[in-house]
Amino acid sequence: MMELQTIKTTKRALRRFLLDAQHLLPPLKAGEPASLPQRVLKLIQDLECVQIDPVSAVRPNQQLVLAARLPDFKPDVLNQLLKENLIFEYYANAASIIPMQDYPLFQPVRERLKKHLLPELKKLEDVAGGVLRRLEDEGPLPAKAFRSDQRVHGYWDNQNATTKATSHALNLLMDIGEIRVVYRDGQHRLFDLTVRSVPRPLLEEAKRIDPASAREALLEKYLRAYRVFEPGDPRFGWQKISAKERREAIDQRVKAGKILPVCIAGLKTEYYILAEDKERLLDIEAAVPAADFEEDDPIFFLPPLDNLLWSRKRLADLFDFHYRWKIYTPPAKRQYGYYAMPILAGDRLIGRIDPRLDKKNRRLHVQLLQIEPGVERTDVLMANIHRALRAFAERHGATAVTVTSEGRLIEI
């Protein structure tokens, strides 16, 4: 048995390591593939997955995550990768974009959902059969191509049945793996048969894969995605795992030398990293600059479901930044607005913006620009943030930026 090791480090070193792993620590990495589609695919592979969300105060979450890390990102690239069957959409950290190479790992998840959803699908047997026949005959189709007067209780209905039967059938068939999203036209998803759109070798591998091996590989994928992790996360491993099983999974990997505990000065919670990341962390710790951020550091605006923000506890522990997405909170109770995006400068989260993109008038309006207590609101810093906002607006098709400040509307 390998000798157990505990790495002693600081909040700053660990958060800079995390930012580096998340492609958010300048300077940007060199030696990336030349074409934009290759770089986007490589980034998704490095991040392991990118969460999907339809809310589009500026752009959907998945586009904002990638654009924060690739300034020349274009939304159509995701569609290109979908059409070329290089990525797929399924449940990882909620609904996510995932590299197609990982398709077999999710077979136990598909089987679990199939067992759970088959009774519901049985009720819509005729509707689902019609959906599958049309997709087989006509190829990729959006939900609006399927007409139905029948209304059922869908995933998001409360008391009343308001979901079109064909739409619910599409969601059920996608969850059990019979169909998948192969293109997005704005907010509309186009579906096709999985057997026709997933590369055959991966379909065959998914059929053969041992469930225990797949679950183990999926847990390893989770650990690579989080990079700094602890067993308190209820989404640990992206599977149905009890608190006891999460703790056992950590302990087994520590004993095997696959992961290492990290003791952080000033924190009671013990975090863990992959053993393969030890040297990377130590190198970053040795090169930590004196200041956590400079006034002219590159600025990043992170969407509410950015990979860095997945663990709110880790965010509070390492960044001393308390963040909740208040999308479902009544407006009067929102402290920072509907779509508050944290502002990252250097290795510190220094505030939030609450932006809206007016596509028709090509204007970005920032309804809130908040700077954290303890961060000096200097002229240099604000000028830097304004420059970053103008660049952010331009990247998303806006030619003008307005900010509400102290009750006044100003153009920057």
Side-chain angles (χ1 to χ4, degrees):
M1 184 181 296
M2 296 183 64
E3 182 181 352
L4 299 185
Q5 302 178 53
T6 297
I7 300 175
K8 294 184 179 181
T9 189
T10 64
K11 285 185 181 182
R12 282 203 65 204
L14 196 57
R15 71 178 183 240
R16 288 182 72 84
F17 161 78
L18 181 59
L19 289 168
D20 185 59
Q22 292 275 335
H23 290 251
L24 288 170
L25 189 66
L28 298 179
K29 298 175 179 63
E32 297 289 353
S35 76
L36 181 57
Q38 284 179 310
R39 284 185 285 125
V40 172
L41 180 59
K42 177 65 164 55
L43 179 56
I44 295 170
Q45 290 169 339
D46 286 353
L47 296 175
E48 298 293 339
C49 68
V50 174
Q51 198 162 331
I52 300 168
D53 191 81
V55 176
S56 187
V58 179
R59 299 285 185 193
N61 182 78
Q62 61 271 26
Q63 296 180 17
L64 294 176
V65 169
L66 296 168
R69 293 156 172 83
L70 293 173
D72 59 343
F73 171 78
K74 299 290 188 294
D76 284 347
V77 172
L78 285 178
N79 273 333
Q80 180 181 337
L81 296 175
L82 273 172
K83 289 176 71 175
E84 293 177 359
N85 302 323
L86 294 171
I87 57 175
F88 71 106
E89 297 184 5
Y90 203 61
Y91 300 110
N93 203 72
S96 301
I97 295 169
I98 308 165
M100 183 61 81
Q101 66 203 43
D102 293 327
Y103 181 83
L105 308 187
F106 290 83
Q107 189 64 17
V109 181
R110 290 186 287 268
E111 292 295 337
R112 175 171 56 81
L113 288 177
K114 186 174 183 178
K115 183 178 180 180
H116 176 69
L117 295 174
L118 270 182
E120 184 74 8
L121 198 54
K122 188 71 175 176
K123 299 176 188 176
L124 296 174
E125 189 172 11
D126 291 341
V127 175
V131 166
L132 291 172
R133 285 190 295 273
R134 281 199 63 189
L135 289 175
E136 185 174 5
D137 293 342
E138 301 176 45
L141 293 170
K144 63 182 179 181
F146 300 93
R147 296 185 178 182
S148 175
D149 294 329
Q150 182 184 358
R151 293 295 181 268
V152 299
H153 283 281
Y155 286 167
W156 301 280
D157 294 338
N158 292 320
Q159 294 182 346
N160 299 320
T162 60
T163 299
K164 196 167 62 170
T166 49
S167 295
H168 191 40
L170 283 167
N171 285 325
L172 293 170
L173 289 167
M174 186 176 67
D175 288 351
I176 69 172
E178 290 291 321
I179 65 175
R180 57 176 282 261
V181 175
V182 294
Y183 191 79
R184 282 182 176 263
D185 182 9
Q187 295 287 15
H188 298 290
R189 300 174 296 175
L190 275 73
F191 302 90
D192 200 1
L193 300 176
T194 297
V195 294
R196 187 162 59 199
S197 58
V198 172
R200 184 162 297 279
L202 294 177
L203 287 174
E204 294 299 324
E205 186 180 346
K207 290 178 183 178
R208 296 191 308 266
I209 196 165
D210 173 60
S213 298
R215 286 191 289 269
E216 184 76 3
L218 187 55
L219 197 154
E220 297 288 341
K221 182 175 175 66
Y222 165 94
L223 299 180
R224 292 194 303 272
Y226 273 74
R227 229 69 201 190
V228 177
F229 45 87
E230 48 86 25
D233 180 12
R235 287 185 288 190
F236 187 87
W238 297 327
Q239 300 167 67
K240 296 289 185 179
I241 303 177
S242 68
K244 180 182 177 183
E245 290 169 328
R246 296 197 299 266
R247 184 72 256 176
E248 289 173 349
I250 288 284
D251 290 343
Q252 288 169 4
R253 283 166 173 77
V254 170
K255 290 177 182 177
K258 293 182 178 180
I259 66 174
L260 300 173
V262 181
C263 179
I264 305 146
L267 276 187
K268 292 183 179 179
T269 302
E270 190 172 58
Y271 283 87
Y272 298 83
I273 65 169
L274 299 170
E276 65 192 55
D277 286 335
K278 177 183 176 182
E279 295 305 318
R280 187 179 183 184
L281 171 58
L282 295 178
D283 288 345
I284 287 174
E285 183 176 34
V288 168
D292 48 16
F293 82 98
E294 300 290 348
E295 293 175 311
D296 58 353
D297 273 338
I299 296 287
F300 299 90
F301 303 111
L302 305 179
L305 299 175
D306 190 275
N307 297 44
L308 183 70
L309 311 181
W310 283 349
S311 170
R312 307 302 197 221
K313 174 176 173 52
R314 185 180 66 182
L315 207 62
D317 283 347
L318 300 188
F319 290 83
D320 300 307
F321 189 82
H322 298 274
Y323 180 75
R324 295 290 184 274
W325 190 16
K326 299 291 189 177
I327 184 172
Y328 299 116
T329 302
K333 295 184 178 180
R334 293 177 189 149
Q335 185 177 1
Y336 300 114
Y338 165 75
Y339 204 77
M341 296 179 65
I343 305 169
L344 175 66
D347 60 55
R348 187 169 178 186
L349 292 165
I350 64 168
R352 300 163 176 83
I353 61 169
D354 182 28
R356 300 290 184 279
L357 180 63
D358 180 350
K359 296 178 184 177
K360 181 179 179 181
N361 296 306
R362 301 186 66 188
R363 179 178 293 273
L364 180 76
H365 178 55
V366 179
Q367 300 185 161
L368 169 94
L369 173 52
Q370 174 261 342
I371 302 298
E372 283 286 278
V375 176
E376 189 177 358
R377 195 175 178 130
T378 66
D379 291 343
V380 173
L381 175 61
M382 296 312 298
N384 189 23
I385 291 174
H386 289 173
R387 279 195 303 272
L389 280 172
R390 289 192 291 270
F392 178 80
E394 184 178 351
R395 263 197 309 275
H396 298 292
T399 56
V401 184
T402 54
V403 178
T404 297
S405 178
E406 298 178 348
R408 296 182 300 112
L409 190 68
I410 60 173
E411 189 152 351
I412 63 172

